[in-house]
């Protein structure tokens, strides 16, 4: 599935199952909540925190998908084509960072 297809699928899901989009501010708050859930799993799985009993059944992939879903909702609501936005962003990074990371002593092993 392409990003464009995913945005269209989410838009269709919202209009049929979700009734309508939450407003942009609500979806921004939901996005922050979902990112926080990913952060919690990362801190416990890859960081130094231990899992609580209630966190043992969490699914990192599902939580990342939640982040992607809400981000795509916001993109749909604000008229952003994420395929185009990502392509432009990668081009910007490629120009700006063409030698930046190669010259970063912190990245050399």
């Amino acid at each position: 599935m392409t990003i464009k297809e995913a945005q269209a699928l989410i838009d269709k899901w919202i209009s049929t199952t979700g009734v309508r989009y939450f407003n942009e501010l609500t979806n921004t708050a939901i996005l922050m909540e979902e990112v926080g859930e990913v952060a919690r799993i990362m801190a416990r799985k890859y960081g130094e925190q231990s899992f609580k009993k209630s966190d043992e059944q969490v699914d990192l992939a599902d939580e990342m998908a939640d982040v992607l879903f809400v981000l795509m909702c916001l993109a749909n609501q604000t008229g952003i084509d994420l395929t185009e936005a990502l392509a432009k962003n990668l081009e910007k990074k490629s120009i700006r960072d063409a030698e930046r990371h190669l010259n970063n002593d912190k990245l050399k092993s």
Side-chain angles (χ1 to χ4, degrees), residues 2-38:
T2 66
I3 295 172
K4 189 177 288 296
E5 290 168 340
Q7 279 190 253
L9 186 63
I10 287 169
D11 192 59
K12 182 177 179 183
W13 185 92
I14 291 292
S15 65
T16 57
T17 306
V19 179
R20 67 169 179 81
Y21 285 99
F22 294 127
N23 68 42
E24 295 86 350
L25 185 56
T26 299
N27 270 338
T28 300
I30 292 169
L31 178 62
M32 297 305 102
E33 179 183 358
E34 297 298 348
V35 168
E37 291 174 12
V38 169

Side-chain angles (χ1 to χ4, degrees), residues 59-75:
D59 181 353
L60 181 59
D62 187 55
E63 295 302 337
M64 286 186 175
D66 284 342
V67 169
L68 193 55
F69 180 91
V70 180
L71 181 64
M72 288 189 175
C73 285
L74 282 165

